[in-house]
Amino acid sequence: MTETASKSALLRVERLNGWYGESHVLHGVDFEVNTGEVVTLLGRNGAGKTSTLLAIMGMLPRREGSVRFGDTETIAMQSRQIARLGIAICPEERGIFSSLNVDENLMLPPRIADGGLSVERIFDLFPNLKERRRSQGTKLSGGEQQMLAIARILRTGAKLLLLDEPTEGLAPVIVQHIGRTIKELKKEGFTIVLVEQNFRFAASVADRHYVVEQGRVIDMIQNADLDANTDKLQAYLGV
């Protein structure tokens, strides 16, 4: 368990191993996320960050270890069961339905618990989507598609959000908008695990950062301690 272990932890990951076929990609991942925190997984490409999110969600072909959401052990559960507990993932590829319009994409995921955001609140967070609500997914910009991918999981009632590279390839103004949205979601009680290559963005929204290397967590740095650990992070991330 990490040195920040807390009774308020919403997610506890211990000794998590994962495989794609014969390829062993996670080698005993350990970390936790407290209720109401934004935590990032940092690391070079191929370090195992996305695989960790997929394993938490039950979407990795094979996984072993422990993934506890609140008081519930989920390691033997299927992804649909995990989703019903209150965990939602926004994948790197976004995965919106291109033939459906914004409204239809928003309404497609089922509600799994009370407390999901209303469509009106979602449009407050993403006014671009309100303007494009009748537009098909194929006609949205990359930034609008990313907003929609995040927006549609906010209706479900999930309290733990797994966001995989939400700023990748986006214009700076859209990145800033997503940053403001993450801060608003934190204020509203959401807990967020964020995989992010844009370290400056991660530092602007997160409470803590876990460094992932070769399929394991090798360090944890508090956001308040980043300046004192700049050299270490540059060595870890190769920046």
Side-chain angles (χ1 to χ4, degrees), residues 20 72 90 151 216:
Y20 294 101
T72 303
C90 179
R216 56 175 56 88

Coordinates of all heavy atoms in Angstrom, one line a residue, residues 20 72 90 151 216:
Y20 N -2.0 -9.3 -22.1 CA -2.7 -9.4 -23.4 C -2.1 -10.7 -24.0 O -1.0 -10.8 -24.5 CB -2.3 -8.2 -24.3 CG -2.8 -6.9 -23.9 CD1 -2.0 -6.0 -23.2 CD2 -4.1 -6.5 -24.1 CE1 -2.4 -4.7 -22.8 CE2 -4.6 -5.2 -23.7 CZ -3.7 -4.4 -23.1 OH -4.2 -3.1 -22.7
T72 N -15.8 -3.1 -2.1 CA -16.1 -4.2 -3.1 C -14.8 -4.6 -3.8 O -14.2 -3.7 -4.5 CB -17.2 -3.8 -4.1 OG1 -18.4 -3.4 -3.3 CG2 -17.5 -4.9 -5.0
C90 N -13.5 6.9 -20.0 CA -13.5 7.6 -21.3 C -12.2 7.2 -22.0 O -11.1 7.6 -21.6 CB -13.5 9.1 -21.0 SG -13.5 10.1 -22.5
A151 N -18.6 13.9 -21.7 CA -20.0 14.3 -21.2 C -20.9 13.1 -21.0 O -21.7 13.0 -20.1 CB -20.6 15.3 -22.2
R216 N 4.7 -1.0 -13.6 CA 4.6 -0.9 -12.2 C 4.7 0.6 -11.8 O 5.3 1.4 -12.5 CB 5.6 -1.7 -11.5 CG 7.0 -1.4 -11.8 CD 8.0 -2.2 -11.0 NE 7.8 -3.6 -11.1 CZ 8.3 -4.4 -12.0 NH1 9.1 -3.9 -12.9 NH2 8.1 -5.7 -12.0

